[in-house]
PDB file of all heavy atoms in Angstrom:
ATOM      1  N   LYS A 291     -85.634 -64.250-127.163  1.00  0.00           N
ATOM      2  CA  LYS A 291     -85.765 -64.358-128.614  1.00  0.00           C
ATOM      3  C   LYS A 291     -84.493 -64.860-129.287  1.00  0.00           C
ATOM      4  O   LYS A 291     -84.527 -65.261-130.459  1.00  0.00           O
ATOM      5  CB  LYS A 291     -86.164 -63.000-129.205  1.00  0.00           C
ATOM      6  CG  LYS A 291     -87.573 -62.562-128.830  1.00  0.00           C
ATOM      7  CD  LYS A 291     -87.917 -61.229-129.456  1.00  0.00           C
ATOM      8  CE  LYS A 291     -89.348 -60.810-129.122  1.00  0.00           C
ATOM      9  NZ  LYS A 291     -90.346 -61.721-129.699  1.00  0.00           N
ATOM     10  N   LEU A 292     -83.365 -64.820-128.588  1.00  0.00           N
ATOM     11  CA  LEU A 292     -82.094 -65.268-129.163  1.00  0.00           C
ATOM     12  C   LEU A 292     -81.492 -66.385-128.310  1.00  0.00           C
ATOM     13  O   LEU A 292     -80.401 -66.260-127.757  1.00  0.00           O
ATOM     14  CB  LEU A 292     -81.120 -64.087-129.264  1.00  0.00           C
ATOM     15  CG  LEU A 292     -81.530 -62.966-130.212  1.00  0.00           C
ATOM     16  CD1 LEU A 292     -80.676 -61.724-129.979  1.00  0.00           C
ATOM     17  CD2 LEU A 292     -81.432 -63.421-131.667  1.00  0.00           C
ATOM     18  N   PRO A 293     -82.201 -67.511-128.204  1.00  0.00           N
ATOM     19  CA  PRO A 293     -81.713 -68.602-127.357  1.00  0.00           C
ATOM     20  C   PRO A 293     -80.430 -69.242-127.875  1.00  0.00           C
ATOM     21  O   PRO A 293     -79.750 -69.955-127.135  1.00  0.00           O
ATOM     22  CB  PRO A 293     -82.877 -69.601-127.375  1.00  0.00           C
ATOM     23  CG  PRO A 293     -83.573 -69.346-128.670  1.00  0.00           C
ATOM     24  CD  PRO A 293     -83.468 -67.873-128.887  1.00  0.00           C
ATOM     25  N   MET A 294     -80.103 -69.020-129.155  1.00  0.00           N
ATOM     26  CA  MET A 294     -78.884 -69.589-129.711  1.00  0.00           C
ATOM     27  C   MET A 294     -77.642 -68.813-129.305  1.00  0.00           C
ATOM     28  O   MET A 294     -76.519 -69.231-129.575  1.00  0.00           O
ATOM     29  CB  MET A 294     -78.993 -69.653-131.243  1.00  0.00           C
ATOM     30  CG  MET A 294     -79.011 -68.302-131.961  1.00  0.00           C
ATOM     31  SD  MET A 294     -80.483 -67.276-131.591  1.00  0.00           S
ATOM     32  CE  MET A 294     -81.785 -68.290-132.306  1.00  0.00           C
ATOM     33  N   LEU A 295     -77.834 -67.661-128.665  1.00  0.00           N
ATOM     34  CA  LEU A 295     -76.718 -66.837-128.211  1.00  0.00           C
ATOM     35  C   LEU A 295     -76.723 -66.712-126.695  1.00  0.00           C
ATOM     36  O   LEU A 295     -77.744 -66.922-126.044  1.00  0.00           O
ATOM     37  CB  LEU A 295     -76.818 -65.424-128.811  1.00  0.00           C
ATOM     38  CG  LEU A 295     -76.867 -65.308-130.333  1.00  0.00           C
ATOM     39  CD1 LEU A 295     -77.045 -63.851-130.726  1.00  0.00           C
ATOM     40  CD2 LEU A 295     -75.615 -65.893-130.962  1.00  0.00           C
ATOM     41  N   GLY A 296     -75.591 -66.352-126.153  1.00  0.00           N
ATOM     42  CA  GLY A 296     -75.524 -66.003-124.747  1.00  0.00           C
ATOM     43  C   GLY A 296     -75.616 -64.492-124.628  1.00  0.00           C
ATOM     44  O   GLY A 296     -74.682 -63.784-125.014  1.00  0.00           O
ATOM     45  N   VAL A 297     -76.745 -63.986-124.172  1.00  0.00           N
ATOM     46  CA  VAL A 297     -76.946 -62.545-124.016  1.00  0.00           C
ATOM     47  C   VAL A 297     -76.758 -62.208-122.543  1.00  0.00           C
ATOM     48  O   VAL A 297     -77.538 -62.651-121.689  1.00  0.00           O
ATOM     49  CB  VAL A 297     -78.343 -62.110-124.501  1.00  0.00           C
ATOM     50  CG1 VAL A 297     -78.539 -60.605-124.302  1.00  0.00           C
ATOM     51  CG2 VAL A 297     -78.535 -62.473-125.970  1.00  0.00           C
ATOM     52  N   HIS A 298     -75.719 -61.445-122.234  1.00  0.00           N
ATOM     53  CA  HIS A 298     -75.361 -61.194-120.839  1.00  0.00           C
ATOM     54  C   HIS A 298     -75.161 -59.705-120.566  1.00  0.00           C
ATOM     55  O   HIS A 298     -74.369 -59.057-121.249  1.00  0.00           O
ATOM     56  CB  HIS A 298     -74.060 -61.909-120.477  1.00  0.00           C
ATOM     57  CG  HIS A 298     -74.072 -63.377-120.749  1.00  0.00           C
ATOM     58  ND1 HIS A 298     -74.722 -64.279-119.939  1.00  0.00           N
ATOM     59  CD2 HIS A 298     -73.506 -64.098-121.754  1.00  0.00           C
ATOM     60  CE1 HIS A 298     -74.556 -65.507-120.438  1.00  0.00           C
ATOM     61  NE2 HIS A 298     -73.824 -65.414-121.536  1.00  0.00           N
ATOM     62  N   PRO A 299     -75.858 -59.162-119.571  1.00  0.00           N
ATOM     63  CA  PRO A 299     -75.524 -57.810-119.120  1.00  0.00           C
ATOM     64  C   PRO A 299     -74.241 -57.840-118.295  1.00  0.00           C
ATOM     65  O   PRO A 299     -73.939 -58.841-117.630  1.00  0.00           O
ATOM     66  CB  PRO A 299     -76.730 -57.423-118.256  1.00  0.00           C
ATOM     67  CG  PRO A 299     -77.330 -58.721-117.828  1.00  0.00           C
ATOM     68  CD  PRO A 299     -77.035 -59.719-118.894  1.00  0.00           C
ATOM     69  N   VAL A 300     -73.490 -56.757-118.341  1.00  0.00           N
ATOM     70  CA  VAL A 300     -72.257 -56.627-117.570  1.00  0.00           C
ATOM     71  C   VAL A 300     -72.339 -55.317-116.787  1.00  0.00           C
ATOM     72  O   VAL A 300     -72.622 -54.258-117.355  1.00  0.00           O
ATOM     73  CB  VAL A 300     -71.009 -56.608-118.482  1.00  0.00           C
ATOM     74  CG1 VAL A 300     -69.734 -56.532-117.635  1.00  0.00           C
ATOM     75  CG2 VAL A 300     -70.975 -57.836-119.388  1.00  0.00           C
ATOM     76  N   VAL A 301     -72.110 -55.392-115.473  1.00  0.00           N
ATOM     77  CA  VAL A 301     -72.203 -54.212-114.614  1.00  0.00           C
ATOM     78  C   VAL A 301     -70.886 -54.016-113.875  1.00  0.00           C
ATOM     79  O   VAL A 301     -70.010 -54.885-113.877  1.00  0.00           O
ATOM     80  CB  VAL A 301     -73.365 -54.349-113.602  1.00  0.00           C
ATOM     81  CG1 VAL A 301     -74.705 -54.359-114.314  1.00  0.00           C
ATOM     82  CG2 VAL A 301     -73.207 -55.614-112.763  1.00  0.00           C
TER      83      VAL A 301
END
Side-chain angles (χ1 to χ4, degrees):
K291 292 181 178 295
L292 295 166
M294 68 295 295
L295 303 177
V297 179
H298 305 283
V300 182
V301 294

